[in-house]
Amino acid sequence: MSQSNPVYRAEVVGSFLRPEALKTARQQFKSGEIDAQQLRAVEDTEIRRVVEQQREAGLQVVTDGEFRRAWWHFDFFEGLQGVEGYDAEQGIQFNGVQTKARSIKVVNKLTFGDHPMIEHFRFLKSISGDAVAKMTIPSPSVMHFRYNRDAVKDVYPNLEDYFDDLAQVYRDAIKAFYDVGCRYLQLDDTVWAYLCSEDQKKQILARGDNPEDLAKTYARVLNKAIEGKPDDLIIGLHVCRGNFRSTWISEGGYEPVAEILFGTVNIDRFFLEYDNERSGGFEPLRFIKPGQQQAVLGLITTKTGSLELAKDVESRVKEATQYLDINQICLSPQCGFASTEEGNSLSEQQQWDKLKLVVDLAAKIW
């Protein structure tokens, strides 16, 4: 764990609602009306704008809003060597709604090569000014949890070899991002939340996996992936319960995984969803190691546009300090505003009002 990482009390998780100009351009590209270069020009313009809006809101950390992606995870995975995306038979089931039918499969040994997101970060870094440019990518746990198992077994008869290669892919990815100036990398992870959900755990057992064994494996892969990272690189882990068109997948507090996740995974910053009763209490925070490690509490929901009352959020932060030192706590929205290009059910103005609340409250509390 680095002793030199700066602390940002007001944080942003990653994705932003896609502006109409961007949605239109992506549709035009899909239908062949514009080419890749024309699409890139629109993306560049809208990313410049969203970065400037983040800075105007008072954020010290900015992202590109994930504006070049359709999904928070598949776009990254499909850029890895040995991985192919395909149109699946059905989408991912959320609470009452399904995503578009998309998935990935492992068709060859995994490696990290010439990944397009390295250039995506390079552009973000070039326009971020005095703000910190943060890159967001899915975590290795998600890569395992969502794969086509039969395809992986064809390529990796021994699953341990698969996990070894997966950890190495992420080590190489971390180095590649670092080499182009990335000093803040966030891994987005839905799987730890699944391991807290009784319903999801039943599904995991039904397919022949053991939730406790998976937790140990994912912790080991994460630690192997970030082992020996540079001291001036912050690595965060966002634990998400699912985010698609304002719906979710899993429910349940962090207690089932708290000891192994908070107690053994060497992440600098845990981004934790705490925006409603599905999130459970703050008791699991007691496992976060004293010192530099931070818990970024997602107390502002991105699921709806109604603005939280400042006094209620302050009260929740105070409640959390029963289990974790106030100096190890930060504040953020609970998730991104658009984990997929469809986006959540709120307006752009409501999105910015929520971020302003995060910034104002952080200034007041700390």
Side-chain angles (χ1 to χ4, degrees):
M1 190 62 52
S2 168
Q3 298 301 305
S4 58
N5 286 339
V7 176
Y8 308 107
R9 297 298 178 192
E11 278 268 19
V12 60
V13 172
S15 61
F16 286 95
L17 294 170
R18 309 303 198 260
E20 282 307 316
L22 183 57
K23 288 182 178 181
T24 300
R26 290 183 72 90
Q27 278 302 121
Q28 290 174 324
F29 176 70
K30 198 177 288 185
S31 63
E33 295 173 61
I34 63 173
D35 61 21
Q37 193 174 352
Q38 290 169 301
L39 173 60
R40 172 59 63 100
V42 176
E43 289 172 345
D44 287 355
T45 297
E46 295 303 328
I47 289 169
R48 286 180 192 277
R49 183 176 289 127
V50 81
V51 166
E52 191 53 40
Q53 286 174 299
Q54 289 170 80
R55 295 179 65 193
E56 286 173 1
L59 289 165
Q60 294 175 278
V61 176
V62 298
T63 75
D64 65 1
E66 301 179 5
F67 279 4
R68 302 194 201 275
R69 307 183 206 181
W71 305 82
W72 65 277
H73 54 344
F74 288 143
D75 296 67
F76 177 80
F77 291 144
E78 289 181 36
L80 299 176
Q81 313 295 310
V83 178
E84 278 184 9
Y86 67 97
D87 291 327
E89 289 180 14
Q90 65 177 48
I92 300 166
Q93 186 62 52
F94 279 72
N95 190 48
V97 64
Q98 234 184 53
T99 67
K100 289 178 293 193
R102 190 72 180 167
S103 192
I104 53 168
K105 54 187 173 184
V106 173
V107 295
N108 214 324
K109 294 286 187 183
L110 296 174
T111 57
F112 188 84
D114 185 18
H115 200 291
M117 287 191 185
I118 298 299
E119 282 306 311
H120 296 177
F121 177 79
R122 201 193 295 268
F123 178 78
L124 173 63
K125 172 82 172 166
S126 75
I127 62 168
S128 58
D130 57 1
V132 175
K134 178 166 76 171
M135 188 65 190
T136 60
I137 61 173
S139 86
S141 320
V142 178
M143 176 78 189
H144 170 258
F145 201 80
R146 284 265 171 245
Y147 71 72
N148 179 310
R149 281 164 180 71
D150 292 334
V152 168
K153 284 172 183 172
D154 289 343
V155 179
Y156 290 99
N158 180 351
L159 208 51
E160 284 308 306
D161 294 338
Y162 170 78
F163 285 122
D164 285 345
D165 281 1
L166 190 56
Q168 188 59 50
V169 161
Y170 272 80
R171 286 175 73 88
D172 293 343
I174 289 166
K175 183 180 187 307
F177 281 116
Y178 185 84
D179 287 348
V180 294
C182 181
R183 296 298 179 266
Y184 197 166
L185 183 67
Q186 179 180 300
L187 307 176
D188 293 320
D189 198 317
T190 51
V191 181
W192 288 101
Y194 293 162
L195 298 176
C196 297
S197 161
E198 290 307 314
D199 180 55
Q200 289 291 319
K201 283 196 281 188
K202 284 176 190 169
Q203 293 182 39
I204 291 167
L205 287 165
R207 72 184 194 203
D209 285 327
N210 182 307
E212 289 181 17
D213 290 345
L214 283 183
K216 290 172 186 171
T217 297
Y218 294 152
R220 187 176 76 247
V221 171
L222 276 168
N223 279 338
K224 193 172 177 184
I226 64 180
E227 187 181 11
K229 76 170 182 70
D231 277 352
D232 60 342
L233 172 64
I234 299 169
I235 296 188
L237 183 75
H238 174 227
V239 182
C240 175
R241 292 180 176 82
N243 189 50
F244 173 69
R245 290 185 181 273
S246 292
T247 63
W248 69 92
I249 293 179
S250 53
E251 309 186 8
Y254 299 106
E255 193 67 30
V257 299
E259 192 163 6
I260 188 165
L261 177 59
F262 302 147
T264 72
V265 178
N266 299 317
I267 291 293
D268 296 305
R269 236 155 259 190
F270 292 103
F271 286 77
L272 304 173
E273 299 194 337
Y274 270 114
D275 61 323
N276 57 31
E277 64 280 355
R278 284 188 295 108
S279 310
F282 293 118
E283 292 84 357
L285 298 179
R286 71 190 184 278
F287 288 108
I288 291 181
K289 296 185 279 287
Q292 293 288 308
Q293 228 168 13
Q294 304 284 320
V296 186
L297 304 184
L299 294 167
I300 314 292
T301 193
T302 65
K303 306 282 197 216
T304 68
S306 55
L307 195 62
E308 288 78 358
L309 293 174
K311 65 179 178 62
D312 291 346
V313 180
E314 284 185 76
S315 173
R316 294 275 281 151
V317 171
K318 187 175 182 183
E319 189 184 335
T321 62
Q322 297 174 53
Y323 306 99
L324 186 65
D325 190 294
I326 185 71
N327 294 311
Q328 287 182 260
I329 295 174
C330 305
L331 188 63
S332 76
Q334 133 271 341
C335 195
F337 292 93
S339 298
T340 65
E341 59 190 342
E342 290 84 0
N344 282 352
S345 304
L346 74 167
S347 69
E348 287 188 49
Q349 185 57 55
Q350 289 171 325
Q351 167 183 270
W352 294 111
D353 289 345
K354 283 177 177 279
L355 275 175
K356 192 72 172 69
L357 178 63
V358 169
V359 171
D360 290 348
L361 277 172
K364 182 179 180 185
I365 295 169
W366 286 278

